[in-house]
Amino acid sequence: MQTAKARAPRNRTLTLSEAERETYREEILALDQKAPLEHLANRIIHQDALQALQYIPSRSIPLIIVDPPYNRTKQYSSQAFYQRRHDDYIRWLECWMKELARIVTETGSIYICSDWQSSLPVQLVAERYFIIRSRITWEREKGRGAKANWKNCSEDIWLCTLSDDYYFNMDAVKMSRKVLAPYRTADGTPKDWKAQAEGNFRLTCPSNLWTDISIPFWSMPENTDHPTQKPEKLIAKLILASSQEGDTVLDPFLGSGTTAVVAQKLGRQFIGIEMEEEYCCIALKRLALAQDNSRIQGYSDGIFWERNTPGHLHNMKELHL
């Protein structure tokens, strides 16, 4: 039985009761043979990724989002991932990355998360199996201070494909940015921007440097006790850019379920693999809650908003109601 943590009255971190654990355990899947995609759709698989991936059909998944353990010692619920020698970590990456190369469709995409220590081995292995299209660097606005080094507040995401023919929808991930120098045409019409009461804003194509992501914290309803939880907004950008409604999104290191939850909110199907039973149950609870609330922090009306802009603040207020 899990020991409950003492929480502040306004802390909204998602937790499980023992009754909920018992209920959600019944919904978890485990694989011992190859299964058709329709049998796996919208299911959480409680299994080691290296075991479960071998049972997923070849060339069946158009989008794979991977957030593997970085090469550092970290405790995940009841189990720990221990830092490995450089060559050992590369061999571990290759074990599952070659399976992803088999599973992804010819026109599909794979996003692989990393930090500065694991980014080089991820690149080295990924370029053996895929075409690397871009490295997204996103700002983690939280992080511990450092007196003898630069504060570490960024992570990378590698975009990979199998071929030059892949789906990418830039219009779906445009961001509303404040216009600091609004330009008007000769007749006074705003040039590619709109005047609003809170200021002037334009839709812009995002670069591969993202500074608008908020890490889940105690007052956000998406927050869990998972030590490396990714924000829903971050995953929403990947899903909207590289998949279409109805597509299946695979996450072989699901953690607390962010990829599955965002896929469901955005009208996609999902397959999640996670070796920690506690996180599987948390993911299932988040999925149940998302059926009644499809909001994503920082994303509203089909537009991504920068932090502390009107659309973002309005969206945050709705989420906190």
Side-chain angles (χ1 to χ4, degrees), residues 58-74:
S58 300
R59 300 286 173 262
S60 62
I61 307 294
L63 176 59
I64 303 175
I65 297 175
V66 194
D67 184 17
Y70 301 161
N71 195 21
R72 58 177 64 198
T73 298
K74 179 74 71 172

Side-chain angles (χ1 to χ4, degrees), residues 79-185:
Q79 302 185 55
F81 185 92
Y82 294 99
Q83 187 172 19
R84 309 176 183 203
R85 294 190 313 172
H86 183 78
D87 290 346
D88 290 338
Y89 189 68
I90 285 178
R91 280 190 285 271
W92 178 77
L93 291 172
E94 189 151 20
C95 285
W96 52 260
M97 217 176 286
K98 64 184 179 183
E99 283 296 306
L100 302 187
R102 175 186 63 81
I103 292 167
V104 70
T105 62
E106 290 286 352
T107 57
S109 300
I110 299 175
Y111 288 95
I112 308 172
C113 300
S114 62
D115 67 351
W116 71 271
Q117 289 177 307
S118 60
S119 203
L120 176 58
V122 165
Q123 180 186 8
L124 289 173
V125 178
E127 63 188 8
R128 296 174 186 173
Y129 296 97
F130 312 114
I131 302 169
I132 296 178
R133 296 289 169 186
S134 184
R135 183 185 71 180
I136 300 163
T137 297
W138 63 281
E139 180 190 22
R140 300 178 78 259
E141 87 284 5
K142 295 200 310 185
R144 294 180 179 179
K147 293 183 178 180
N149 201 344
W150 302 104
K151 178 179 176 180
N152 182 22
C153 64
S154 68
E155 294 190 16
D156 293 332
I157 306 176
W158 297 87
L159 168 59
C160 308
T161 66
L162 277 187
S163 70
D164 291 331
D165 181 16
Y166 62 96
Y167 179 82
F168 192 82
N169 185 359
M170 175 58 71
D171 288 335
V173 289
K174 285 187 175 180
M175 177 181 292
S176 179
R177 292 187 182 276
K178 194 164 187 177
V179 180
L180 301 181
Y183 174 76
R184 295 179 182 269
T185 61

